[in-house]
Every structure is written in structure tokens, then in C-alpha cells.
């Protein structure tokens, strides 16, 4: 019995020490993890978000189609191999299209009254995927 009393005494001491350390922990850690509740969106905010989403999608699609026509026109006037414009291989053309269209979109979205500064990585990947996808589809259809 003596052993059981010793063990139970130790557990009580450990439990008491852990409880004291939790009570003395600063309250700042708790306030940092709490987020402020998001205010519900009004009808005007939802309407603006929907309009911005449609404009982003249509603008990126139009930019991709224009890029496809541009590559077709340039390839038809300069090179024999349509997948190489002049001396440039296809992967250089792809990276050039991505760079040019992303820079163009960063300038054009504020003119279209879309807050491009609030874009996250996901948003930029979304619009660039649309551009590259439609660029490739348009260029391939025109080459056939």
C-alpha cells in the first residue's frame, strides 16, 4: 500500500503542477488564435463579387484567344514549324505568353475596376490557367 500512496501522490503533484502552469499562462495566446467574426456580405457586395468574377473570367478568356491568334499569325509569317516561332522553341513561347498576359492583366484589372491588389495566388493561377488553356486551344485549332 505504501507504493500506491507514493504513486498516487506523484500523479496528484504532476496534475496540480500542470494545472497551475495552465492558469498562469498568458491570455495573449488565446486572443491571437481567435478570429474576428466575418461580417455577412450585403446584396451589393455579392453582386459586385459576381460581376468581378465574370469580368475576370471573360477578360482572361479573351486574352487567351487573342494570344492564340497572335501566335498563329506570327508562326505563319516567320517559321516552317508552327510550334517554333523563328528560332524559339514551344516552351519559350509558353513562358512568354504567361509573362506577357500576366503583366497585361495586372495593368488592365484596375482599369476594369477590379481590385487586383486583393488577388491571392489562387486567383492569379485561375486567370492564368484560363489564358493558357484558351491560348493553346485556339492556336491548335488554327493550326489544323
Amino acid at each position: 500500500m505504501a507504493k500506491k500512496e507514493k504513486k498516487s501522490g506523484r500523479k496528484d503533484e504532476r496534475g496540480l503542477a500542470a494545472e497551475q502552469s495552465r492558469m498562469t499562462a498568458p491570455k495573449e495566446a488565446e486572443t491571437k488564435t481567435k478570429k474576428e467574426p466575418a461580417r455577412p456580405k450585403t446584396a451589393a457586395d455579392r453582386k459586385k463579387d459576381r460581376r468581378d468574377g465574370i469580368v475576370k473570367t471573360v477578360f482572361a478568356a479573351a486574352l487567351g484567344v487573342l494570344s492564340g491568334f497572335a501566335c498563329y499569325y506570327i508562326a505563319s509569317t516567320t517559321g516552317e514549324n508552327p510550334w517554333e516561332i523563328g528560332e524559339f522553341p514551344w516552351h519559350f513561347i509558353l513562358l512568354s505568353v504567361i509573362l506577357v498576359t500576366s503583366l497585361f492583366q495586372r495593368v488592365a484589372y484596375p482599369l476594369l475596376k477590379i481590385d487586383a491588389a486583393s488577388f491571392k495566388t489562387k486567383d492569379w493561377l485561375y486567370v492564368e490557367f484560363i489564358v493558357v488553356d484558351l491560348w493553346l486551344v485556339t492556336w491548335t485549332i488554327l493550326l489544323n
Side-chain angles (χ1 to χ4, degrees):
M1 280 206 163
K3 284 185 178 180
K4 287 185 179 179
E5 289 176 17
K6 273 188 171 178
K7 285 183 180 178
S8 64
R10 285 186 198 154
K11 286 181 184 176
D12 291 339
E13 289 173 7
R14 282 189 226 148
L16 187 60
E19 190 174 322
Q20 286 176 350
S21 66
R22 278 184 281 187
M23 293 180 124
T24 59
K27 299 281 183 177
E28 295 173 10
E30 294 176 8
T31 58
K32 286 182 182 177
T33 58
K34 291 182 181 177
K35 293 182 180 178
E36 293 181 16
R39 65 178 180 91
K41 289 187 176 184
T42 63
D45 289 341
R46 287 193 303 270
K47 188 175 181 180
K48 185 182 182 320
D49 287 345
R50 180 177 288 266
R51 178 201 166 275
D52 289 351
I54 291 170
V55 169
K56 283 191 295 191
T57 304
V58 170
F59 185 74
L63 201 55
V65 170
L66 288 174
S67 299
F69 275 102
C71 285
Y72 176 74
Y73 177 73
I74 292 169
S76 66
T77 59
T78 59
E80 295 175 13
N81 185 356
W83 289 103
E84 293 182 2
I85 297 178
E87 300 174 7
F88 303 115
W90 69 269
H91 50 83
F92 179 78
I93 299 168
L94 172 67
L95 293 176
S96 298
V97 166
I98 290 172
L99 178 70
V100 169
T101 57
S102 67
L103 291 175
F104 187 72
Q105 287 179 76
R106 288 182 191 268
V107 172
Y109 282 142
L111 297 175
L112 296 171
K113 295 182 176 122
I114 295 176
D115 185 20
S118 68
F119 276 22
K120 296 179 180 131
T121 305
K122 177 184 79 168
D123 298 321
W124 287 114
L125 290 174
Y126 166 73
V127 293
E128 279 304 315
F129 173 76
I130 291 173
V131 168
V132 170
D133 190 33
L134 286 170
W135 162 73
L136 188 59
V137 167
T138 303
W139 197 17
T140 304
I141 289 172
L142 291 173
L143 289 174
N144 288 328

